[in-house]
């Protein structure tokens, strides 16, 4: 019987001819990523009393969550990580200058087609955008990998999503995936591998596909894969990233899908995920008037060059509403440099944006830019849980970068179609 | 891990996310005793004081959805939570709880009938939760996960494997 992409990758990693959903396999990841929580991984790893990690060139550590350190505790954790990296001679360490872990993983070529990556972060699913099976795990489990190089994984069932038609003007990959999560619910893809197909996906850039794979986590997906194609090839080529083309996997024609879903992209309108669950999704036309105090452009979901470009185009020559704080945190140093070069940063700052350093910023409520009691934010990030971005009485609304920019101008959640 | 445990129920609903169990602002904490103080801080300020050793959490669908933060399991372990019974778990939370040595029970039966603060009995071998409103079945965990739980969590489990030269 035919296999899906996830089944093929796991079978190959396990050294088996075939696997079936539900089967548990023991595998060695190609890369193992930890961010600031490497501090916790180190603490657990030390309990094993081993002198060396399993493979110093397979561990990747980008610092991004609380950077630069916002407290002495975080500063001490960062320091301890740097010392560990030196002592163990870890090859791939990215200090606070580089940006958000998921962006860095793809930019630096650690996410490659047909390979397996685990990370101590739930949005590790992002690398599915380049045909890589990637998934999130906890810190203790990562310590066990650092010690043994091995992890058990359950072979997931697969959900096939086919998207056809052109996205209307002012409607983006973000709206598409929010719409899908609204349909399937926050546990609609729990334990499953998602595969994306259709002409809409085939036309998308790697950046847009990353938005899809990133947010698929919010419906519980274990991984979310887009087949490696010409567009991905061009991305790897343009960025000078090494990879093995022959490793890319494709589902067989007779692969077994547990569920299929078809979406007509041409019918979509801009989407908003309202507090406090990501599946609480509304069409912009169904939104009541919602005043916002903050607008947030960035995160591993939508902090890339195309996202900043859309916002800059909307804000160029306009002013951010005086009652709104527009925060921009680019996904990486590379993104920031390109945005500076293209003049986007000038446009944004002129309009009244506050540009922060590449990193997670206030996304997880642990760093600069938190919300006060009762405040509301329109954010291009991926989570709107209660208390996620500061006060437990604040409300987080998720939308596209265009919606964030339009809302920053008007001071309320706004349909970006009037601005593009 | 005992085969039969008895404990007081703490009841929760669907989609209890990791920001509710362990808000992001406390992630710099690495001492489990400290983490324990912040358990369910996103649900109710100071809620951790209401948790007693041996308590059993009973929840709805998708318990532990959201972040991979292990602190959301470690804090409950440090408070002595004996087991979590839910209709379903998010996948990373499921792994984290087992790796921390917390018994995880997934039951598709009508566990929502179980009441807050009642005492229930869990029989792991028989796969049953005995409550006032009835007896609810659950499938046993795979052998591999049970062996991690029996060793008290992944750290001890790996230590055992390492010393056995596996
Ligand atoms: S940007 Fe937000 S969602 Fe992405 S890795 Fe950072 S904290 Fe997590």
């Amino acid at each position: 019987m035919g296999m899906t992409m996830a089944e093929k990758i796991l079978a190959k990693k396990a050294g088996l001819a075939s696997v079936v959903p539900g089967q548990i396999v023991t595998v060695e990841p190609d890369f193992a990523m930890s961010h600031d929580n490497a501090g916790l991984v180190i603490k657990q790893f030390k309990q094993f009393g081993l002198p060396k990690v399993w493979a110093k060139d397979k561990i990747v550590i980008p610092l991004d969550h609380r950077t630069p350190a916002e407290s002495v505790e975080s500063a001490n954790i960062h320091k301890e990580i740097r010392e560990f990296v030196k002592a163990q001679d870890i090859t791939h360490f990215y200090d606070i200058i580089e940006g958000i872990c998921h962006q860095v993983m793809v930019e630096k070529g650690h996410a490659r087609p047909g390979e397996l990556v685990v990370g101590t972060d739930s949005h590790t699913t992002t690398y599915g955008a380049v045909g890589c099976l990637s998934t999130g795990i906890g810190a203790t489990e990562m310590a066990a990998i650092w010690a043994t190089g091995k992890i058990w994984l359950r072979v997931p069932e697969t959900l096939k999503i086919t998207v056809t038609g052109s996205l209307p003007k002012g409607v983006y990959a973000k709206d598409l995936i929010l719409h899908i999560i609204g349909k399937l619910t926050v546990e609609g893809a729990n334990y499953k591998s998602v595969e994306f197909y259709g002409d809409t996906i085939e036309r998308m850039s790697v950046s847009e596909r990353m938005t899809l794979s990133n947010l698929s986590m919010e419906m519980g997906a274990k991984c979310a894969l887009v087949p490696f194609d010409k567009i991905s090839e061009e991305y790897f080529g343009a960025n000078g990233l090494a990879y093995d083309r022959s490793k890319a996997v494709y589902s067989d024609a007779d692969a077994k899908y547990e569920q299929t879903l078809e979406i007509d992209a041409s019918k979509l309108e801009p989407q908003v995920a309202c507090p406090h669950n990501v599946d609480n999704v509304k069409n912009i036309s169904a939104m009541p008037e919602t005043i916002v105090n903050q607008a947030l452009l960035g995160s591993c979901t939508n902090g890339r060059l195309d996202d900043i470009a859309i916002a800059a185009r909307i804000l160029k020559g306009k002013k951010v509403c005086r009652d709104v704080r527009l925060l921009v945190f680019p996904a990486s140093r590379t993104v920031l440099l390109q945005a500076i070069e293209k003049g986007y940063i000038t446009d944004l700052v002129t309009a009244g944006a506050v540009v922060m350093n590449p990193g997670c910023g206030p996304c997880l409520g642990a760093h600069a830019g938190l919300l006060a009691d009762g405040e509301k934010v329109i954010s291009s990030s991926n989570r709107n849980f209660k208390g996620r971005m500061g006060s437990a009485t604040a409300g987080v609304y998720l939308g596209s970068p265009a919606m964030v920019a339009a809302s920053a101008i008007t001071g309320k959640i706004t349909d970006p179609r009037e601005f593009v | 891990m005992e085969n039969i445990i008895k404990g007081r129920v703490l009841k929760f609903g669907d989609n209890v996310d990791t920001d509710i169990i362990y808000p992001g602002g406390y992630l710099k904490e690495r001492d489990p005793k400290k983490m324990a103080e912040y358990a369910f801080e996103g649900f109710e300020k100071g809620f951790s004081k209401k948790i007693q050793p041996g308590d059993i959490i009973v929840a709805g669908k998708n318990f532990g959805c959201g972040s991979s933060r292990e602190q959301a399991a470690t804090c409950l372990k440090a408070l002595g939570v004996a087991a979590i019974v839910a209709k379903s778990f998010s996948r990373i939370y499921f792994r984290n709880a087992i790796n921390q040595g917390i018994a995880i029970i997934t039951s598709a039966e009508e566990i929502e009938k179980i009441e807050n603060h009642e005492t229930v009995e869990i029989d792991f071998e028989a796969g049953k939760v005995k409550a006032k409103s009835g007896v609810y079945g659950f499938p046993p965990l795979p052998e591999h996960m049970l062996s991690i739980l029996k060793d008290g969590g992944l750290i001890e489990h790996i230590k055992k494997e390492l010393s056995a030269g596996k």
Side-chain angles (χ1 to χ4, degrees), chain A residues 64-65 100-102 121 123 299-300 329 360 363-364 382 388:
Chain A
D64 62 355
H65 269 54
I100 306 175
C101 57
H102 305 308
D121 190 278
H123 296 105
S299 87
C300 55
F329 54 117
C360 298
C363 176
L364 79 157
N382 52 31
R388 171 78 180 177

Side-chain angles (χ1 to χ4, degrees), chain A residues 50-73:
Chain A
L50 294 170
K52 284 278 164 208
V53 295
W54 126 88
K56 70 184 184 78
D57 55 347
K58 291 190 177 178
I59 294 171
V60 187
I61 306 180
L63 299 184
D64 62 355
H65 269 54
R66 295 184 301 277
T67 55
E70 90 301 350
S71 65
V72 176
E73 290 100 317

Side-chain angles (χ1 to χ4, degrees), chain A residues 162-173:
Chain A
T162 309
V163 191
T164 51
S166 296
L167 285 166
K169 214 167 170 232
V171 181
Y172 305 90

Side-chain angles (χ1 to χ4, degrees), chain A residues 6-32:
Chain A
E7 287 160 11
K8 284 194 180 177
I9 295 173
L10 288 175
K12 179 137 185 276
K13 295 299 297 181
L16 301 167
S18 68
V19 294
V20 290
Q23 189 174 342
I24 288 178
V25 293
T26 302
V27 287
E28 180 183 6
D30 292 289
F31 284 106

